[in-house]
Amino acid sequence: MKILVGLSGGVDSAVAAKLLLEQGHEVSSVTMQMISPVGEIIKSQEQDIADARAIANTLGIDFFTLDLRSAFREEIMNYFAETYKQGLTPNPCFICNKKMKFGRLLDVALERGFDAIATGHYAQIMRDLKTGRYLLLQGSDSKKDQSYFLALLNQFQLAHIMFPLGNYTKPEVRKIAEKAGLISAHRPDSQDICFVPNGDYAKIVEALLPETFTEGNFLDTKGKIIGKHRGLHHYTIGQRRGLALAFGEPVYVVSKDAKTNTVCVGSSENLFASALVAENVNFIAVEKLTEPIVCTVKTRYRQNEIPARLIPITEDSLRVEFLQPERAVAAGQALVCYKDGAVFAGGIITAVEPWAKPQ
């Protein structure tokens, strides 16, 4: 097959390309140029591009760059800032995979005659011979599994994607890279959103939407004003640090309201939810959900799966009832549902129902 590999400059995508070469595929590579500088905060990708080019040279494969900066700024970076403006907590990687990495890049690959694209994600794709549907499975390395971020991929995309690292662990990948003499063999893993250096979300949001966020009131759970906050974008559900509120016990961000520019804080007990609503739901394992089912779900990436009941509302929206109260569920984040080791569905959390402690 003729495969186009997305090279990031890191170790995972480099080894993905090497494995495909060893399997006998005709491999070329591309780096998506997506990040445009914002003042002095966000730097360019020049070093990543240089590293990717060096990796391609080492592997002896063609390399080119694809300029997606305008689309990425509009569809991902602006989405990120606008979601914070609405008082929500976005997951830009969830959207980027759908629209950029496996959207625009796949379109370009198919236009240029490639059969598929490949990346260094830790996930697996399998065809269900009974239903004919493509399934998205978790990666073998549970510590690195990235299926959560891929839950919006549709059947057409899954049919034209390869994840060569799905059955590998990270230590195994680094050993392959080291043996092959790849410059990224010991490069540290990226921990931040690619356009948010050092995890400073507020600074990026302020640069993208200057003069949008103002001080407002902190409220307790009874609606009483108890202090001033610095702007909604500085806070997320479950946050404890940086509140600058003096109480006799720990308090956490419980909710945010963009209309009133208020942040509600409460005890840990106030963070628990009994249910949520998710919209723009993408079903992978089935075409659609017609009746309630029980599966496991995640409402954030670094979380163990928890049991829940999925109840269809419309063809692309769900009510999710937790079988036990779930902590710090944030509207705007990604909901991903799993069944039998595969991603069942994924969508965006739009509403959260607080848990009422039995009297």
Side-chain angles (χ1 to χ4, degrees), residues 29-33 49-50 52-53 63-68 112:
S29 62
V30 59
T31 293
M32 292 170 285
Q33 191 171 8
I49 292 172
R53 192 187 309 276
F63 173 84
F64 68 94
T65 60
L66 178 62
D67 190 346
L68 296 176
R112 296 192 179 196

Side-chain angles (χ1 to χ4, degrees), residues 5-18 55 59 118-121 165:
V5 178
L7 285 184
S8 67
V11 64
D12 296 327
S13 57
V15 172
K18 176 172 173 52
I55 290 167
L59 295 174
T119 65
H121 284 86
L165 305 188

Side-chain angles (χ1 to χ4, degrees), residues 34-50:
M34 299 192 292
I35 302 174
S36 51
V38 177
E40 295 298 317
I41 304 171
I42 304 178
K43 306 301 181 183
S44 68
Q45 289 178 262
E46 294 307 316
Q47 186 58 55
D48 290 338
I49 292 172

Side-chain angles (χ1 to χ4, degrees), residues 3 5 40 43 45 52 56 100 122 138 146 188 199 206-208 256 258 298 302 314 317 326 331 342 348:
I3 311 297
V5 178
E40 295 298 317
K43 306 301 181 183
Q45 289 178 262
M100 298 290 143
Y122 289 82
Q138 294 169 297
Q146 293 171 301
E206 288 169 1
L208 293 170
K256 302 189 294 181
K298 284 186 176 185
R302 298 196 181 282
T314 66
S317 64
E326 175 59 8
I348 303 295

Side-chain angles (χ1 to χ4, degrees), residues 175-192:
K175 287 181 181 179
I176 293 171
E178 185 176 4
K179 187 175 180 180
L182 298 174
I183 62 170
S184 58
H186 299 290
R187 178 173 170 173
D189 290 342
S190 174
Q191 300 296 327
D192 298 318

Side-chain angles (χ1 to χ4, degrees), residues 4 64 66 68 103-114:
L4 180 62
F64 68 94
L66 178 62
L68 296 176
R104 291 178 181 269
L105 177 58
L106 178 57
D107 290 342
V108 169
L110 296 178
E111 288 170 2
R112 296 192 179 196
F114 290 93

